[in-house]
Amino acid sequence: MSILCTVCCGEMEADPWVPVNIGGSDLLAKAWFGDTQYRLLLSDLNTVWEEDMTAEDIQSRAQDLNKRLRAPTQAFFSHLCSVAQPCFSSQNDGQISAAHMILEQHGDNLTVKLKSELAGLPFCWEFRCTAAPVGVVCRQLVRPLLAVTRVLQRQVEDLAALLARKDVEIQDYQENGAVLSRARLQTEPFEVHKYRENFFTKIVPQMGVTLDSLGFDSELQALYMAVSSGETGLKRKRSPDSNPAAEDNHISEHHKHVTDVPTDVGSSLASQEQNDVKGSSGRPQEADSKQTVLLPSAAAAGSKERSTSRPKKKKVVGLFR
């Protein structure tokens, strides 16, 4: 992997995929523009294309496409960024682009042709993307999206646990004589398994979600950034001379242990809340009371044994006592 690719990977991993329309084709885009270099990723959910360009590559291609161009790379690259970057980001929503873009596909390659004006003269550019390797697809798309699904699953479990606690709270009110003032506000106790079955069998079919949907709204983009930023933060803590393979293993372990979600979070928290409510209602808890009586004696015996085995130390009087 080149130095440019390594730098770009670190910069753009936390950036979300953005739905764009180029030449009448709907795509997902992910772009990073530096001072005189850029990296572009495009996907139609069947293929992922990429292009990495250095300053030398940009200068050479600009001369081929614009014979009259004599400006240094940094001079015209700022113009390229200003007209191309909005087309590959959410900044293009509802705005008229200053560049005209055409999409062409030749075999496994994808070319985005851009035409604009620079200092009153035509300026042409071509993003010549090739099929990305499997490692790039997994790192930039598959792994982050799997992490996002785990986070969403955890969010659903937490909300289910919250509803279960609310049901316990309502039950406590009812047992103490509380009555609803409006009968239409009456709800049934929340049952997570019943709700999940109803959602999968009735709600999901009505949503009309297809596997080729490019919907990646702002909330999913924010969640993608939050998940990817956590992974990027782990990489930045790595020392400069550490092994990249070890880094990948460490990131994989991080996803495995941190983002994996327990399957029964809602039910376990609900049962715990019920026990807390029963304990606070005045019912005896003999096991807990026995432990509170036995623990001080055990601690005293332990401290006595330690005091006989270790020499006494003089107390030091200072700022902390």
Side-chain angles (χ1 to χ4, degrees), residues 134-218:
V134 176
V136 173
V137 177
C138 292
R139 184 171 60 252
Q140 297 289 346
L141 188 60
V142 178
R143 278 168 45 182
L145 291 182
L146 286 176
V148 166
T149 59
R150 295 190 190 103
V151 173
L152 290 175
Q153 183 182 359
R154 174 59 184 268
Q155 185 181 44
V156 170
E157 296 290 347
D158 287 348
L159 291 174
L162 177 61
L163 287 175
R165 292 198 298 270
K166 289 293 184 181
D167 284 339
V168 175
E169 181 180 354
I170 293 172
Q171 182 181 358
D172 183 69
Y173 291 150
Q174 293 174 345
E175 291 176 352
N176 286 276
V179 180
L180 277 176
S181 59
R182 288 170 288 183
R184 63 182 178 83
L185 299 179
Q186 180 73 34
T187 58
E188 295 295 328
F190 179 75
E191 297 181 10
V192 61
H193 300 291
K194 183 178 179 180
Y195 168 80
R196 186 179 291 121
E197 181 181 357
N198 180 75
F199 185 83
F200 289 160
T201 57
K202 297 181 180 180
I203 305 300
V204 172
Q206 296 176 2
M207 294 175 62
V209 178
T210 59
L211 295 179
D212 58 351
S213 174
L214 294 175
F216 211 77
D217 58 22
S218 57

XYZ file of all heavy atoms in Angstrom, residues 134-218:
681
model
N -10.906 -6.373 -2.614
C -11.826 -6.819 -1.555
C -11.481 -6.178 -0.217
O -12.371 -5.809 0.560
C -11.799 -8.358 -1.445
C -12.681 -8.817 -0.289
C -12.256 -9.001 -2.746
N -10.193 -6.022 0.065
C -9.789 -5.426 1.342
C -10.323 -4.019 1.522
O -10.754 -3.636 2.615
N -10.313 -3.223 0.446
C -10.830 -1.859 0.518
C -12.338 -1.872 0.734
O -12.879 -1.096 1.530
C -10.470 -1.087 -0.769
C -11.157 0.275 -0.789
C -8.964 -0.917 -0.890
N -13.045 -2.758 0.043
C -14.493 -2.859 0.193
C -14.859 -3.227 1.631
O -15.771 -2.633 2.229
C -15.072 -3.891 -0.794
C -16.577 -4.041 -0.593
C -14.770 -3.489 -2.234
N -14.139 -4.182 2.181
C -14.425 -4.606 3.564
C -14.123 -3.488 4.556
O -14.898 -3.239 5.483
C -13.616 -5.852 3.911
S -14.118 -7.333 3.009
N -12.991 -2.815 4.349
C -12.578 -1.781 5.301
C -13.447 -0.533 5.219
O -13.762 0.079 6.243
C -11.115 -1.422 5.062
C -10.545 -0.411 6.065
C -9.055 -0.254 5.919
N -8.677 0.220 4.588
C -8.092 -0.541 3.671
N -7.834 -1.810 3.925
N -7.757 -0.049 2.492
N -13.846 -0.148 4.013
C -14.565 1.104 3.836
C -16.083 0.953 3.856
O -16.790 1.938 4.078
C -14.152 1.750 2.507
C -12.695 2.151 2.413
C -12.360 3.344 3.300
O -13.239 4.038 3.799
N -11.081 3.583 3.502
N -16.595 -0.244 3.624
C -18.046 -0.408 3.508
C -18.599 -1.508 4.404
O -19.474 -1.257 5.239
C -18.414 -0.692 2.044
C -19.902 -0.704 1.696
C -20.528 0.639 1.995
C -20.114 -1.078 0.238
N -18.090 -2.729 4.269
C -18.703 -3.864 4.956
C -18.524 -3.778 6.469
O -19.502 -3.851 7.232
C -18.124 -5.193 4.420
C -18.725 -6.369 5.175
C -18.394 -5.334 2.927
N -17.292 -3.630 6.921
C -17.036 -3.610 8.365
C -17.738 -2.469 9.085
O -18.381 -2.679 10.126
C -15.527 -3.584 8.618
C -14.883 -4.957 8.539
C -13.376 -4.886 8.504
N -12.811 -3.960 9.478
C -11.497 -3.710 9.583
N -10.655 -4.316 8.778
N -11.050 -2.878 10.469
N -17.662 -1.226 8.569
C -18.393 -0.152 9.258
C -19.904 -0.367 9.294
O -20.548 -0.073 10.297
C -18.023 1.100 8.441
C -16.730 0.773 7.792
C -16.798 -0.689 7.493
N -20.479 -0.888 8.197
C -21.922 -1.102 8.190
C -22.337 -2.222 9.138
O -23.405 -2.155 9.760
C -22.399 -1.410 6.769
C -22.331 -0.232 5.780
C -22.881 -0.632 4.424
C -23.083 0.980 6.318
N -21.507 -3.255 9.268
C -21.799 -4.297 10.252
C -21.737 -3.730 11.664
O -22.554 -4.079 12.532
C -20.810 -5.459 10.103
C -21.018 -6.367 8.887
C -19.907 -7.416 8.810
C -22.378 -7.049 8.945
N -20.766 -2.855 11.905
C -20.680 -2.218 13.219
C -21.896 -1.337 13.474
O -22.408 -1.275 14.600
C -19.393 -1.405 13.323
N -22.372 -0.652 12.436
C -23.559 0.184 12.580
C -24.781 -0.665 12.938
O -25.588 -0.277 13.788
C -23.813 0.980 11.282
C -25.210 1.589 11.281
C -22.770 2.076 11.122
N -24.918 -1.840 12.319
C -26.057 -2.704 12.644
C -25.990 -3.173 14.093
O -27.025 -3.287 14.757
C -26.096 -3.929 11.711
O -24.873 -4.676 11.834
C -26.269 -3.503 10.273
N -24.774 -3.447 14.589
C -24.654 -3.848 16.002
C -25.071 -2.705 16.925
O -25.742 -2.918 17.945
C -23.218 -4.270 16.298
C -22.765 -5.515 15.556
C -21.432 -5.999 16.095
N -20.862 -7.044 15.256
C -19.873 -6.857 14.401
N -19.346 -5.665 14.272
N -19.406 -7.846 13.673
N -24.656 -1.493 16.580
C -25.023 -0.338 17.407
C -26.531 -0.119 17.382
O -27.156 0.165 18.412
C -24.278 0.919 16.912
C -24.777 2.161 17.643
C -22.774 0.758 17.131
N -27.141 -0.250 16.210
C -28.595 -0.097 16.122
C -29.321 -1.192 16.902
O -30.350 -0.936 17.532
C -29.033 -0.127 14.650
C -28.627 1.091 13.809
C -29.003 0.876 12.353
C -29.282 2.353 14.345
N -28.773 -2.405 16.859
C -29.373 -3.489 17.629
C -29.289 -3.182 19.124
O -30.249 -3.395 19.866
C -28.674 -4.813 17.323
C -29.291 -6.007 18.045
C -28.550 -7.296 17.766
O -27.578 -7.303 17.011
N -28.988 -8.369 18.377
N -28.157 -2.663 19.563
C -28.004 -2.298 20.970
C -28.985 -1.187 21.336
O -29.576 -1.191 22.423
C -26.569 -1.852 21.232
C -26.330 -1.300 22.634
C -26.672 -2.326 23.717
N -26.524 -1.758 25.032
C -25.389 -1.827 25.742
N -24.333 -2.435 25.238
N -25.316 -1.284 26.936
N -29.186 -0.242 20.429
C -30.131 0.837 20.684
C -31.543 0.296 20.847
O -32.286 0.727 21.746
C -30.076 1.841 19.531
C -30.929 3.084 19.750
C -30.869 4.029 18.568
O -30.947 3.598 17.418
N -30.738 5.312 18.837
N -31.934 -0.654 20.000
C -33.259 -1.262 20.105
C -33.410 -1.999 21.432
O -34.452 -1.906 22.101
C -33.503 -2.216 18.919
C -34.769 -3.040 19.140
C -33.617 -1.438 17.627
N -32.378 -2.725 21.839
C -32.441 -3.457 23.108
C -32.557 -2.496 24.293
O -33.305 -2.753 25.247
C -31.188 -4.335 23.267
C -31.055 -5.432 22.226
C -32.092 -6.522 22.402
O -32.753 -6.558 23.455
O -32.241 -7.351 21.477
N -31.844 -1.377 24.237
C -31.929 -0.394 25.316
C -33.321 0.231 25.378
O -33.862 0.464 26.469
C -30.876 0.691 25.126
C -29.475 0.192 25.432
O -29.357 -0.916 25.998
O -28.493 0.899 25.109
N -33.901 0.516 24.221
C -35.251 1.072 24.198
C -36.268 0.056 24.716
O -37.227 0.431 25.417
C -35.611 1.504 22.776
C -34.854 2.722 22.226
C -35.203 2.950 20.763
C -35.158 3.961 23.053
N -36.078 -1.222 24.377
C -36.973 -2.261 24.894
C -36.857 -2.359 26.413
O -37.862 -2.517 27.121
C -36.648 -3.609 24.245
N -35.644 -2.246 26.922
C -35.451 -2.283 28.371
C -36.098 -1.075 29.039
O -36.673 -1.179 30.126
C -33.959 -2.333 28.689
N -36.017 0.079 28.385
C -36.641 1.284 28.930
C -38.155 1.134 28.989
O -38.792 1.513 29.980
C -36.258 2.493 28.071
C -36.881 3.837 28.466
C -36.453 4.218 29.883
C -36.485 4.922 27.468
N -38.752 0.571 27.936
C -40.198 0.342 27.942
C -40.583 -0.641 29.045
O -41.631 -0.478 29.693
C -40.647 -0.188 26.581
C -40.659 0.823 25.434
C -41.002 0.124 24.121
C -41.655 1.940 25.707
N -39.769 -1.665 29.258
C -40.070 -2.625 30.321
C -40.023 -1.948 31.690
O -40.874 -2.218 32.552
C -39.076 -3.786 30.267
N -39.067 -1.068 31.886
C -39.001 -0.340 33.166
C -40.196 0.596 33.327
O -40.710 0.777 34.431
C -37.695 0.438 33.243
C -36.463 -0.443 33.349
C -35.260 0.344 33.853
N -34.885 1.424 32.950
C -34.022 1.292 31.951
N -33.466 0.110 31.705
N -33.707 2.319 31.193
N -40.629 1.185 32.211
C -41.804 2.052 32.282
C -43.046 1.248 32.661
O -43.904 1.725 33.424
C -42.025 2.732 30.924
C -40.993 3.796 30.576
C -41.092 4.990 31.490
C -40.125 6.086 31.078
N -40.189 7.255 31.989
N -43.161 0.028 32.143
C -44.301 -0.820 32.507
C -44.288 -1.151 33.998
O -45.327 -1.176 34.652
C -44.279 -2.110 31.689
C -44.736 -1.890 30.245
O -45.425 -0.887 30.009
O -44.405 -2.717 29.384
N -43.094 -1.415 34.526
C -42.986 -1.692 35.965
C -43.366 -0.460 36.768
O -44.059 -0.541 37.801
C -41.557 -2.144 36.301
C -41.387 -2.309 37.807
C -41.243 -3.462 35.608
N -42.954 0.705 36.290
C -43.308 1.951 36.973
C -44.812 2.182 36.947
O -45.420 2.548 37.981
C -42.585 3.114 36.284
C -42.858 4.470 36.927
C -42.121 5.594 36.205
O -41.325 5.295 35.293
O -42.361 6.762 36.559
N -45.443 1.961 35.798
C -46.903 2.126 35.691
C -47.628 1.133 36.597
O -48.625 1.472 37.254
C -47.341 1.955 34.227
C -46.791 3.106 33.381
C -48.862 1.884 34.112
C -47.018 2.931 31.889
N -47.135 -0.096 36.648
C -47.751 -1.097 37.503
C -47.686 -0.678 38.975
O -48.635 -0.870 39.741
C -47.063 -2.444 37.312
C -47.671 -3.575 38.133
C -46.933 -4.896 37.932
O -45.994 -4.958 37.143
N -47.358 -5.925 38.636
N -46.587 -0.081 39.359
C -46.446 0.382 40.746
C -47.454 1.494 41.044
O -48.047 1.532 42.132
C -45.021 0.878 40.977
C -44.780 1.298 42.414
O -44.764 0.417 43.294
O -44.622 2.509 42.659
N -47.628 2.402 40.078
C -48.644 3.451 40.264
C -50.034 2.848 40.427
O -50.806 3.263 41.309
C -48.648 4.400 39.055
C -47.417 5.271 38.948
C -46.947 5.685 37.695
C -46.717 5.680 40.071
C -45.819 6.476 37.577
C -45.584 6.455 39.966
C -45.140 6.868 38.720
O -44.020 7.648 38.619
N -50.370 1.873 39.582
C -51.702 1.262 39.633
C -51.921 0.524 40.947
O -53.024 0.572 41.520
C -51.888 0.316 38.447
C -51.940 1.021 37.096
C -51.974 0.054 35.929
O -51.679 -1.131 36.089
N -52.334 0.548 34.750
N -50.892 -0.170 41.431
C -51.030 -0.890 42.698
C -51.214 0.052 43.884
O -51.714 -0.361 44.932
C -49.808 -1.776 42.918
C -49.730 -2.945 41.932
C -48.463 -3.748 42.116
O -47.584 -3.315 42.898
O -48.336 -4.816 41.472
N -50.806 1.309 43.706
C -50.969 2.287 44.781
C -52.155 3.211 44.546
O -52.243 4.281 45.151
C -49.694 3.128 44.916
C -48.566 2.344 45.564
O -48.467 2.246 46.780
N -47.705 1.762 44.725
N -53.078 2.786 43.634
C -54.348 3.498 43.482
C -54.414 4.513 42.373
O -55.436 5.201 42.231
N -53.350 4.676 41.568
C -53.388 5.649 40.475
C -54.314 5.172 39.369
O -54.356 3.990 39.042
C -51.984 5.870 39.919
N -55.106 6.107 38.795
C -56.067 5.789 37.735
C -55.885 6.781 36.602
O -55.677 7.981 36.828
C -57.519 5.844 38.252
C -58.514 5.516 37.132
C -57.713 4.886 39.417
N -55.957 6.299 35.362
C -55.839 7.175 34.199
C -57.048 8.097 34.119
O -58.188 7.669 34.322
C -55.742 6.348 32.915
C -54.366 5.797 32.539
C -54.487 4.923 31.305
C -53.382 6.923 32.284
N -56.797 9.349 33.800
C -57.908 10.296 33.646
C -58.571 10.154 32.287
O -59.730 10.527 32.115
C -57.401 11.731 33.827
O -56.392 12.032 32.867
N -57.826 9.623 31.292
C -58.370 9.414 29.954
C -58.123 7.967 29.539
O -56.974 7.527 29.447
C -57.726 10.374 28.949
C -58.197 11.819 29.118
C -57.367 12.774 28.284
N -56.034 12.938 28.853
C -55.109 13.768 28.357
N -55.382 14.462 27.257
N -53.936 13.877 28.934
N -59.209 7.246 29.279
C -59.097 5.815 28.983
C -58.360 5.552 27.672
O -57.749 4.491 27.502
C -60.489 5.183 28.931
N -58.373 6.493 26.745
C -57.724 6.276 25.453
C -56.197 6.211 25.570
O -55.518 5.792 24.638
C -58.125 7.379 24.480
C -57.692 8.780 24.891
C -58.182 9.831 23.888
N -57.819 11.174 24.280
C -56.633 11.734 24.030
N -55.706 11.042 23.396
N -56.378 12.967 24.419
N -55.650 6.614 26.704
C -54.205 6.558 26.913
C -53.750 5.197 27.441
O -52.554 4.969 27.595
C -53.765 7.655 27.891
C -54.032 9.101 27.454
C -53.575 10.075 28.535
C -53.318 9.392 26.136
N -54.716 4.301 27.693
C -54.372 2.982 28.214
C -53.579 2.182 27.170
O -53.937 2.137 25.991
C -55.644 2.224 28.587
C -55.416 0.833 29.147
C -54.869 0.874 30.565
O -55.216 1.771 31.333
N -54.024 -0.081 30.903
N -52.477 1.573 27.581
C -51.654 0.740 26.696
C -51.431 -0.623 27.328
O -51.533 -0.784 28.551
C -50.283 1.396 26.438
O -49.614 1.604 27.688
C -50.432 2.722 25.704
N -51.126 -1.585 26.472
C -50.830 -2.923 26.947
C -49.353 -2.999 27.373
O -48.504 -2.275 26.837
C -51.093 -3.947 25.845
C -52.550 -4.058 25.432
C -53.421 -4.589 26.558
O -52.909 -5.403 27.364
O -54.602 -4.205 26.635
N -49.026 -3.859 28.323
C -47.618 -4.044 28.707
C -46.779 -4.464 27.495
O -47.228 -5.249 26.658
C -47.679 -5.142 29.769
C -49.064 -5.063 30.322
C -49.944 -4.651 29.179
N -45.596 -3.927 27.410
C -44.729 -4.176 26.265
C -44.085 -5.552 26.393
O -43.463 -5.871 27.412
C -43.645 -3.096 26.194
C -42.688 -3.285 25.052
C -43.059 -3.000 23.753
C -41.399 -3.762 25.283
C -42.174 -3.173 22.698
C -40.512 -3.931 24.244
C -40.895 -3.644 22.944
N -44.231 -6.363 25.343
C -43.605 -7.685 25.277
C -42.661 -7.685 24.080
O -43.099 -7.623 22.923
C -44.657 -8.782 25.129
C -45.607 -8.878 26.316
C -46.626 -9.990 26.139
O -46.453 -10.782 25.177
O -47.573 -10.060 26.934
N -41.361 -7.738 24.356
C -40.367 -7.545 23.312
C -40.446 -8.626 22.236
O -40.316 -8.337 21.039
C -38.955 -7.478 23.928
C -38.609 -8.763 24.657
C -37.916 -7.163 22.858
N -40.670 -9.874 22.636
C -40.723 -10.954 21.655
C -41.945 -10.828 20.750
O -41.854 -11.063 19.535
C -40.721 -12.309 22.361
C -39.499 -12.536 23.194
N -38.243 -12.712 22.648
C -39.331 -12.604 24.542
C -37.358 -12.879 23.617
N -37.991 -12.826 24.772
N -43.075 -10.454 21.315
C -44.287 -10.267 20.531
C -44.120 -9.093 19.564
O -44.532 -9.152 18.401
C -45.482 -10.034 21.461
C -46.798 -9.900 20.742
C -47.926 -9.725 21.756
C -49.267 -9.565 21.040
N -50.390 -9.393 22.013
N -43.510 -8.019 20.055
C -43.284 -6.858 19.204
C -42.337 -7.197 18.047
O -42.579 -6.803 16.903
C -42.700 -5.713 20.029
C -42.173 -4.576 19.181
C -43.033 -3.625 18.629
C -40.806 -4.471 18.914
C -42.548 -2.593 17.832
C -40.313 -3.449 18.119
C -41.188 -2.511 17.587
O -40.707 -1.500 16.804
N -41.267 -7.931 18.346
C -40.298 -8.277 17.305
C -40.942 -9.140 16.219
O -40.707 -8.938 15.025
C -39.111 -9.003 17.933
C -37.979 -9.284 16.952
C -36.823 -9.991 17.623
N -36.141 -9.120 18.568
C -36.015 -9.374 19.855
N -36.546 -10.486 20.363
N -35.375 -8.550 20.648
N -41.762 -10.101 16.641
C -42.423 -10.961 15.666
C -43.386 -10.165 14.799
O -43.444 -10.339 13.570
C -43.181 -12.080 16.393
C -43.890 -13.042 15.461
C -44.646 -14.126 16.223
O -44.560 -14.139 17.473
O -45.318 -14.941 15.565
N -44.137 -9.248 15.406
C -45.074 -8.424 14.651
C -44.340 -7.493 13.689
O -44.777 -7.267 12.551
C -45.936 -7.609 15.612
C -46.930 -6.719 14.879
O -47.930 -7.183 14.349
N -46.657 -5.424 14.868
N -43.180 -6.974 14.114
C -42.413 -6.064 13.269
C -41.868 -6.782 12.043
O -41.923 -6.267 10.922
C -41.273 -5.451 14.092
C -40.494 -4.409 13.348
C -40.948 -3.103 13.271
C -39.298 -4.732 12.726
C -40.232 -2.139 12.582
C -38.575 -3.781 12.042
C -39.042 -2.467 11.961
N -41.339 -7.991 12.256
C -40.753 -8.739 11.140
C -41.813 -9.224 10.148
O -41.567 -9.248 8.944
C -39.963 -9.937 11.668
C -38.699 -9.546 12.370
C -38.075 -10.417 13.254
C -38.113 -8.304 12.156
C -36.897 -10.061 13.907
C -36.946 -7.939 12.799
C -36.344 -8.815 13.681
N -42.972 -9.613 10.657
C -43.984 -10.222 9.777
C -44.937 -9.210 9.145
O -45.469 -9.463 8.066
C -44.806 -11.248 10.564
O -45.414 -10.596 11.702
C -43.921 -12.386 11.043
N -45.120 -8.040 9.775
C -46.103 -7.084 9.272
C -45.496 -5.744 8.845
O -45.833 -5.216 7.782
C -47.184 -6.841 10.340
C -47.995 -8.084 10.678
C -49.060 -7.774 11.725
C -49.868 -9.034 12.064
N -50.919 -8.741 13.086
N -44.607 -5.210 9.652
C -44.079 -3.869 9.368
C -43.044 -3.901 8.259
O -43.086 -3.100 7.328
C -43.487 -3.238 10.640
C -44.532 -3.242 11.761
C -43.014 -1.825 10.351
C -45.777 -2.464 11.435
N -42.079 -4.829 8.353
C -40.995 -4.880 7.370
C -41.517 -5.076 5.942
O -41.061 -4.378 5.023
C -39.983 -5.979 7.748
C -38.958 -6.170 6.642
C -39.270 -5.612 9.051
N -42.466 -5.992 5.700
C -42.966 -6.120 4.324
C -43.610 -4.850 3.789
O -43.577 -4.591 2.579
C -43.994 -7.258 4.423
C -43.556 -8.061 5.603
C -43.032 -7.054 6.575
N -44.193 -4.033 4.663
C -44.835 -2.804 4.228
C -43.834 -1.692 3.948
O -44.175 -0.710 3.271
C -45.844 -2.331 5.276
C -47.012 -3.290 5.499
C -47.924 -2.829 6.613
O -47.720 -1.775 7.213
N -48.958 -3.613 6.885
N -42.616 -1.811 4.459
C -41.620 -0.766 4.265
C -41.080 -0.735 2.844
O -40.622 0.303 2.363
C -40.464 -0.953 5.256
C -40.858 -0.759 6.700
S -39.504 -1.128 7.849
C -38.301 0.102 7.368
N -41.122 -1.854 2.149
C -40.656 -1.893 0.770
C -39.170 -1.664 0.614
O -38.721 -1.086 -0.384
N -38.380 -2.098 1.582
C -36.928 -1.919 1.509
C -36.342 -2.967 0.567
O -36.633 -4.161 0.688
C -36.291 -2.054 2.906
C -34.778 -1.911 2.814
C -36.862 -0.986 3.838
N -35.511 -2.510 -0.373
C -34.861 -3.415 -1.323
C -33.370 -3.471 -1.043
O -32.793 -2.551 -0.451
C -35.102 -2.950 -2.766
O -34.590 -1.615 -2.923
C -36.577 -2.956 -3.088
N -32.726 -4.546 -1.485
C -31.297 -4.731 -1.219
C -30.425 -3.772 -2.019
O -29.255 -3.581 -1.683
C -30.898 -6.178 -1.529
C -31.543 -7.255 -0.650
C -31.076 -8.632 -1.091
C -31.218 -7.026 0.820
N -30.974 -3.171 -3.068
C -30.189 -2.231 -3.867
C -30.521 -0.779 -3.540
O -30.224 0.129 -4.307
C -30.408 -2.478 -5.367
C -31.881 -2.369 -5.758
O -32.733 -2.279 -4.851
O -32.164 -2.379 -6.963
N -31.147 -0.546 -2.375
C -31.494 0.810 -1.982
C -30.234 1.574 -1.570
O -29.404 1.077 -0.813
C -32.490 0.783 -0.819
O -32.728 2.097 -0.341
N -30.117 2.800 -2.081
C -28.965 3.643 -1.764
C -29.290 4.657 -0.677
O -28.562 5.624 -0.495
C -28.492 4.385 -3.026
C -27.920 3.496 -4.135
C -27.612 4.335 -5.371
C -26.674 2.777 -3.669
N -30.395 4.436 0.034
C -30.764 5.364 1.091
C -29.738 5.371 2.213
O -29.495 4.362 2.871
N -29.104 6.521 2.398
C -28.095 6.681 3.454
C -28.289 8.077 4.022
O -27.524 8.997 3.735
C -26.690 6.508 2.863
C -25.681 5.923 3.809
C -25.678 4.574 4.077
C -24.748 6.721 4.432
C -24.749 4.020 4.943
C -23.823 6.191 5.307
C -23.829 4.839 5.558
N -29.362 8.241 4.832
C -29.762 9.570 5.271
C -28.778 10.139 6.289
O -27.788 9.514 6.663
C -31.185 9.552 5.835
C -31.326 8.585 7.009
O -30.309 8.254 7.632
O -32.459 8.161 7.291
N -29.069 11.358 6.743
C -28.138 12.079 7.608
C -27.935 11.380 8.952
O -26.831 11.403 9.511
C -28.647 13.509 7.843
O -29.955 13.493 8.410
